[in-house]
Amino acid sequence: MSDSRDAAGYLIEDDGDLALIDVGAGPSYRQIVANIQGLGLNLKKLRYVIATHAHIDHIGALADFARDYSPTLAAHELDAWAMETADPAYTAASWYGLALTPVPIDLKLKGPRDKLVLGRTELICLHAPGHTPGSLAVYLDRSGRRYLFGQDIHGPFHPGFKSDQGAWRRSMALLLELEADVLGEGHFGIHDGRKKVADFIRGFLNDFPCNEG
């Protein structure tokens, strides 16, 4: 649908207003825009772009969206610095062999739980550290179902990312408590059904036994 280097991005719509969770690695920006426009949606109503963490496969097109549509860019403060400096190591841009354009983050989330309002929809941004210190998960409730955008639930964990498996395990416990009906993950797609969501998260918990640090 876009580029093999892209993590999955998720678009949320409420009465025409839009929010985009993650934006791919950058080279596919025009294709992502075309995909959204192909749905009949107006990107001039893009209110938020939420960066779940600072890795380039999730944030490479932030500067492009900011330039063309002026949404509010939101990220956790513990990862925002890397987006603003385009740090090539922390963002993994050097791993991908891509250049990252630095971009100011408009809204630096600080608490364990922050709320953004999109039309009548509340987007709950949860601080979910582990993969990186500033990783976020986002969820919303609609029509009796809970939708969770967990992104890199699977890791990986690397000292260069300041990963912390102990923090990650606590974050995964928090996500399990949400009892989400649908999970959109950054690299493993969509999991539909409360049991499937829980099994997916628990599967990675079993793959990575408790290892603090």
Side-chain angles (χ1 to χ4, degrees), residues 16-198:
D17 287 337
L18 305 175
L20 184 58
I21 300 174
D22 289 342
V23 294
S28 62
Y29 168 65
R30 294 296 176 192
Q31 183 61 55
I32 292 171
V33 167
N35 290 346
I36 295 170
Q37 291 173 333
L39 296 171
L41 300 172
N42 182 1
L43 274 164
K44 291 182 179 178
K45 299 195 74 175
L46 182 63
R47 305 305 183 208
Y48 298 104
V49 173
I50 303 169
T52 60
H53 62 287
H55 290 160
I56 193 169
D57 51 329
H58 298 259
I59 63 162
L62 280 183
D64 298 297
F65 277 103
R67 178 195 65 223
D68 292 343
Y69 300 106
S70 301
T72 295
L73 302 185
H76 195 276
E77 63 175 353
L78 293 179
D79 269 25
W81 68 271
M83 304 173 208
E84 294 185 326
T85 63
D87 182 274
Y90 189 86
T91 63
S94 57
W95 287 20
Y96 283 77
L98 294 172
L100 179 64
T101 302
V103 61
I105 300 302
D106 306 302
L107 181 58
K108 296 176 184 176
L109 306 177
K110 300 179 180 181
R113 175 188 174 103
D114 291 277
K115 180 175 70 175
L116 304 178
V117 177
L118 181 76
R120 295 167 294 177
T121 299
E122 292 185 348
L123 307 177
I124 308 301
C125 301
L126 299 176
H127 186 206
H131 179 48
T132 70
S135 290
L136 293 173
V138 182
Y139 76 89
L140 63 91
D141 295 323
R142 182 175 289 180
S143 301
R145 304 190 84 198
R146 176 161 289 177
Y147 297 83
L148 170 63
F149 305 96
Q151 298 306 71
D152 285 12
I153 281 171
H154 64 284
F157 307 103
H158 190 275
F161 304 154
K162 303 180 182 179
S163 300
D164 182 332
Q165 284 194 34
W168 169 78
R169 293 184 72 85
R170 292 188 290 274
S171 295
M172 294 305 100
L174 177 66
L175 298 190
L176 285 170
E177 289 175 3
L178 295 174
E179 298 185 335
D181 299 289
V182 180
L183 168 67
E185 211 269 352
H187 296 269
F188 287 89
I190 295 171
H191 304 266
D192 192 347
R194 191 172 295 184
K195 185 177 184 300
K196 289 182 179 180
V197 172

